[in-house]
């Protein structure tokens, strides 16, 4: 697959995700946690840009572990990073914040061997499950493997 086709596919995936997240967070603060391999960190910036283009002024925050948001111990071993995209009011006690957890599955290079950064059962650091799973192992480019029903049901009142 050509690089341009892969970029176009990634942008299409991000468009679907950004549209769903923006609609699900109308009138609320937003906190999107993206757990991804270090080789795919540009995805977080592209998602923040897509959210910003839809009217959500966003900023990327460094992940600061706390007891409520525990990072799984295998994250450092797999070369994964968690980046938080925040928009609007965002405090630990703010009940008006829409929290969305995204896991990215990709092939990564480790010690000369290609391996998966996550298992097929992607894990979200905050709740133990993901609202969205993006899979980069597809030879035609990234695909959305899972989107939580509250995000996928955009046409319902």
């Amino acid at each position: 697959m050509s690089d341009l086709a892969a970029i176009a596919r990634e942008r299409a995936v991000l468009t679907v995700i950004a549209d769903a997240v923006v609609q699900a967070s109308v009138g609320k603060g937003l906190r999107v946690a993206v757990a991804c391999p270090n080789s795919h960190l540009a995805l977080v910036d592209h998602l923040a840009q897509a959210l910003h283009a839809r009217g959500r002024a966003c900023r990327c925050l460094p992940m600061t572990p706390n007891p409520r948001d525990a990072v799984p111990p295998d994250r450092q071993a797999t070369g994964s990073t968690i980046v938080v995209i925040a928009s609007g009011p965002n405090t630990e006690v703010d009940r008006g914040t829409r929290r969305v957890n995204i896991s990215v599955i990709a092939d990564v290079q480790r010690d000369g061997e290609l391996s998966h950064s996550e298992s097929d059962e992607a894990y979200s650091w905050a709740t133990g499950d993901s609202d969205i799973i993006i899979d980069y192992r597809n030879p035609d480019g990234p695909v959305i493997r899972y989107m939580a029903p509250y995000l996928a049901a955009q046409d319902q009142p």
Side-chain angles (χ1 to χ4, degrees):
M1 179 165 177
S2 75
D3 288 341
L4 289 177
I7 291 169
R9 179 110 182 210
E10 180 181 72
R11 296 298 163 100
V13 164
L14 290 176
T15 295
V16 169
I17 291 170
D19 288 344
V21 168
V22 166
Q23 187 167 350
S25 64
V26 170
K28 300 178 181 179
L30 178 63
R31 181 179 167 112
V32 179
V34 183
C36 66
N38 295 337
S39 60
H40 287 73
L41 286 176
L43 167 84
V44 178
D45 185 48
H46 296 299
L47 179 57
Q49 290 174 23
L51 292 169
H52 187 77
R54 287 157 180 79
R56 294 303 304 239
C58 298
R59 62 198 179 282
C60 292
L61 305 172
M63 169 57 183
T64 54
N66 65 47
R68 190 168 150 252
D69 296 336
V71 177
D74 65 337
R75 286 283 177 213
Q76 289 181 326
T78 61
S80 292
T81 298
I82 298 169
V83 180
V84 175
I85 302 170
S87 175
N90 190 23
T91 65
E92 291 302 316
V93 296
D94 182 34
R95 301 205 194 304
T97 299
R98 167 63 72 190
R99 296 177 185 272
V100 179
N101 297 316
I102 300 174
S103 292
V104 177
I105 303 169
D107 290 328
V108 294
Q109 192 77 26
R110 264 194 296 175
D111 299 328
E113 292 184 21
L114 200 59
S115 65
H116 297 304
S117 66
E118 295 287 328
S119 70
D120 288 332
E121 301 291 324
Y123 178 83
S124 175
W125 60 279
T127 63
D129 54 7
S130 298
D131 298 306
I132 300 171
I133 299 174
I134 305 170
D135 189 349
Y136 274 84
R137 298 174 297 177
N138 187 321
D140 294 327
V143 295
I144 299 171
R145 289 287 177 217
Y146 173 77
M147 185 176 288
Y150 78 92
L151 292 167
Q154 295 301 312
D155 295 330
Q156 297 178 8

mmCIF file of all heavy atoms in Angstrom, residues 24-42:
data_model
loop_
_atom_site.group_PDB
_atom_site.id
_atom_site.type_symbol
_atom_site.label_atom_id
_atom_site.label_comp_id
_atom_site.label_asym_id
_atom_site.label_seq_id
_atom_site.Cartn_x
_atom_site.Cartn_y
_atom_site.Cartn_z
ATOM 1 N N ALA A 24 -20.603 13.279 20.915
ATOM 2 C CA ALA A 24 -20.868 12.680 22.223
ATOM 3 C C ALA A 24 -20.503 13.608 23.379
ATOM 4 O O ALA A 24 -20.931 13.380 24.508
ATOM 5 C CB ALA A 24 -20.100 11.367 22.361
ATOM 6 N N SER A 25 -19.730 14.661 23.104
ATOM 7 C CA SER A 25 -19.264 15.527 24.190
ATOM 8 C C SER A 25 -19.848 16.936 24.136
ATOM 9 O O SER A 25 -19.342 17.836 24.797
ATOM 10 C CB SER A 25 -17.734 15.608 24.167
ATOM 11 O OG SER A 25 -17.280 16.232 22.980
ATOM 12 N N VAL A 26 -20.921 17.125 23.382
ATOM 13 C CA VAL A 26 -21.539 18.446 23.283
ATOM 14 C C VAL A 26 -21.926 18.939 24.683
ATOM 15 O O VAL A 26 -22.564 18.226 25.445
ATOM 16 C CB VAL A 26 -22.784 18.406 22.357
ATOM 17 C CG1 VAL A 26 -23.565 19.706 22.444
ATOM 18 C CG2 VAL A 26 -22.370 18.121 20.934
ATOM 19 N N GLY A 27 -21.492 20.145 25.004
ATOM 20 C CA GLY A 27 -21.829 20.747 26.285
ATOM 21 C C GLY A 27 -21.053 20.212 27.472
ATOM 22 O O GLY A 27 -21.386 20.494 28.611
ATOM 23 N N LYS A 28 -20.021 19.429 27.229
ATOM 24 C CA LYS A 28 -19.235 18.825 28.305
ATOM 25 C C LYS A 28 -17.754 19.098 28.078
ATOM 26 O O LYS A 28 -17.328 19.401 26.971
ATOM 27 C CB LYS A 28 -19.428 17.300 28.327
ATOM 28 C CG LYS A 28 -20.835 16.860 28.546
ATOM 29 C CD LYS A 28 -20.930 15.353 28.494
ATOM 30 C CE LYS A 28 -22.372 14.915 28.686
ATOM 31 N NZ LYS A 28 -22.506 13.476 28.620
ATOM 32 N N GLY A 29 -16.985 18.928 29.119
ATOM 33 C CA GLY A 29 -15.542 18.890 28.971
ATOM 34 C C GLY A 29 -15.180 17.584 28.278
ATOM 35 O O GLY A 29 -16.016 16.679 28.168
ATOM 36 N N LEU A 30 -13.953 17.469 27.809
ATOM 37 C CA LEU A 30 -13.548 16.277 27.074
ATOM 38 C C LEU A 30 -12.168 15.837 27.526
ATOM 39 O O LEU A 30 -11.262 16.652 27.688
ATOM 40 C CB LEU A 30 -13.529 16.580 25.570
ATOM 41 C CG LEU A 30 -13.084 15.465 24.635
ATOM 42 C CD1 LEU A 30 -14.024 14.262 24.713
ATOM 43 C CD2 LEU A 30 -13.008 15.989 23.205
ATOM 44 N N ARG A 31 -12.025 14.542 27.730
ATOM 45 C CA ARG A 31 -10.731 13.954 28.066
ATOM 46 C C ARG A 31 -10.599 12.669 27.264
ATOM 47 O O ARG A 31 -11.309 11.694 27.520
ATOM 48 C CB ARG A 31 -10.643 13.675 29.566
ATOM 49 C CG ARG A 31 -9.318 13.093 29.997
ATOM 50 C CD ARG A 31 -9.317 12.862 31.500
ATOM 51 N NE ARG A 31 -8.197 12.045 31.899
ATOM 52 C CZ ARG A 31 -7.181 12.476 32.615
ATOM 53 N NH1 ARG A 31 -7.156 13.716 33.012
ATOM 54 N NH2 ARG A 31 -6.209 11.667 32.946
ATOM 55 N N VAL A 32 -9.726 12.682 26.264
ATOM 56 C CA VAL A 32 -9.499 11.526 25.408
ATOM 57 C C VAL A 32 -8.125 10.962 25.751
ATOM 58 O O VAL A 32 -7.117 11.651 25.588
ATOM 59 C CB VAL A 32 -9.551 11.902 23.909
ATOM 60 C CG1 VAL A 32 -9.285 10.682 23.043
ATOM 61 C CG2 VAL A 32 -10.885 12.536 23.559
ATOM 62 N N ALA A 33 -8.080 9.735 26.234
ATOM 63 C CA ALA A 33 -6.823 9.068 26.546
ATOM 64 C C ALA A 33 -6.492 8.115 25.406
ATOM 65 O O ALA A 33 -7.294 7.242 25.069
ATOM 66 C CB ALA A 33 -6.926 8.307 27.855
ATOM 67 N N VAL A 34 -5.328 8.298 24.798
ATOM 68 C CA VAL A 34 -4.911 7.465 23.683
ATOM 69 C C VAL A 34 -3.692 6.653 24.117
ATOM 70 O O VAL A 34 -2.649 7.217 24.430
ATOM 71 C CB VAL A 34 -4.557 8.307 22.433
ATOM 72 C CG1 VAL A 34 -4.190 7.397 21.269
ATOM 73 C CG2 VAL A 34 -5.711 9.228 22.063
ATOM 74 N N ALA A 35 -3.847 5.340 24.155
ATOM 75 C CA ALA A 35 -2.747 4.434 24.468
ATOM 76 C C ALA A 35 -2.244 3.863 23.145
ATOM 77 O O ALA A 35 -2.989 3.181 22.441
ATOM 78 C CB ALA A 35 -3.224 3.311 25.378
ATOM 79 N N CYS A 36 -0.998 4.196 22.792
ATOM 80 C CA CYS A 36 -0.497 3.748 21.501
ATOM 81 C C CYS A 36 1.005 3.503 21.557
ATOM 82 O O CYS A 36 1.691 4.021 22.439
ATOM 83 C CB CYS A 36 -0.833 4.759 20.409
ATOM 84 S SG CYS A 36 -0.024 6.341 20.557
ATOM 85 N N PRO A 37 1.498 2.724 20.584
ATOM 86 C CA PRO A 37 2.939 2.529 20.502
ATOM 87 C C PRO A 37 3.624 3.869 20.233
ATOM 88 O O PRO A 37 3.062 4.749 19.581
ATOM 89 C CB PRO A 37 3.115 1.597 19.298
ATOM 90 C CG PRO A 37 1.781 1.011 19.042
ATOM 91 C CD PRO A 37 0.777 1.987 19.554
ATOM 92 N N ASN A 38 4.832 4.004 20.717
ATOM 93 C CA ASN A 38 5.579 5.241 20.520
ATOM 94 C C ASN A 38 5.737 5.587 19.042
ATOM 95 O O ASN A 38 5.795 6.759 18.682
ATOM 96 C CB ASN A 38 6.946 5.142 21.185
ATOM 97 C CG ASN A 38 6.828 5.020 22.683
ATOM 98 O OD1 ASN A 38 5.827 5.412 23.278
ATOM 99 N ND2 ASN A 38 7.841 4.458 23.315
ATOM 100 N N SER A 39 5.752 4.586 18.189
ATOM 101 C CA SER A 39 5.905 4.821 16.746
ATOM 102 C C SER A 39 4.665 5.458 16.118
ATOM 103 O O SER A 39 4.718 5.904 14.977
ATOM 104 C CB SER A 39 6.225 3.507 16.031
ATOM 105 O OG SER A 39 5.166 2.577 16.234
ATOM 106 N N HIS A 40 3.557 5.521 16.843
ATOM 107 C CA HIS A 40 2.310 6.072 16.307
ATOM 108 C C HIS A 40 1.840 7.313 17.070
ATOM 109 O O HIS A 40 0.669 7.672 17.006
ATOM 110 C CB HIS A 40 1.212 5.003 16.333
ATOM 111 C CG HIS A 40 1.406 3.946 15.300
ATOM 112 N ND1 HIS A 40 2.374 2.985 15.405
ATOM 113 C CD2 HIS A 40 0.778 3.728 14.125
ATOM 114 C CE1 HIS A 40 2.323 2.201 14.340
ATOM 115 N NE2 HIS A 40 1.362 2.633 13.544
ATOM 116 N N LEU A 41 2.745 7.991 17.747
ATOM 117 C CA LEU A 41 2.356 9.157 18.539
ATOM 118 C C LEU A 41 1.830 10.310 17.683
ATOM 119 O O LEU A 41 1.059 11.130 18.166
ATOM 120 C CB LEU A 41 3.525 9.632 19.399
ATOM 121 C CG LEU A 41 3.824 8.751 20.606
ATOM 122 C CD1 LEU A 41 5.058 9.258 21.342
ATOM 123 C CD2 LEU A 41 2.639 8.677 21.540
ATOM 124 N N ALA A 42 2.226 10.379 16.418
ATOM 125 C CA ALA A 42 1.710 11.431 15.541
ATOM 126 C C ALA A 42 0.189 11.340 15.424
ATOM 127 O O ALA A 42 -0.482 12.354 15.215
ATOM 128 C CB ALA A 42 2.350 11.349 14.166
#
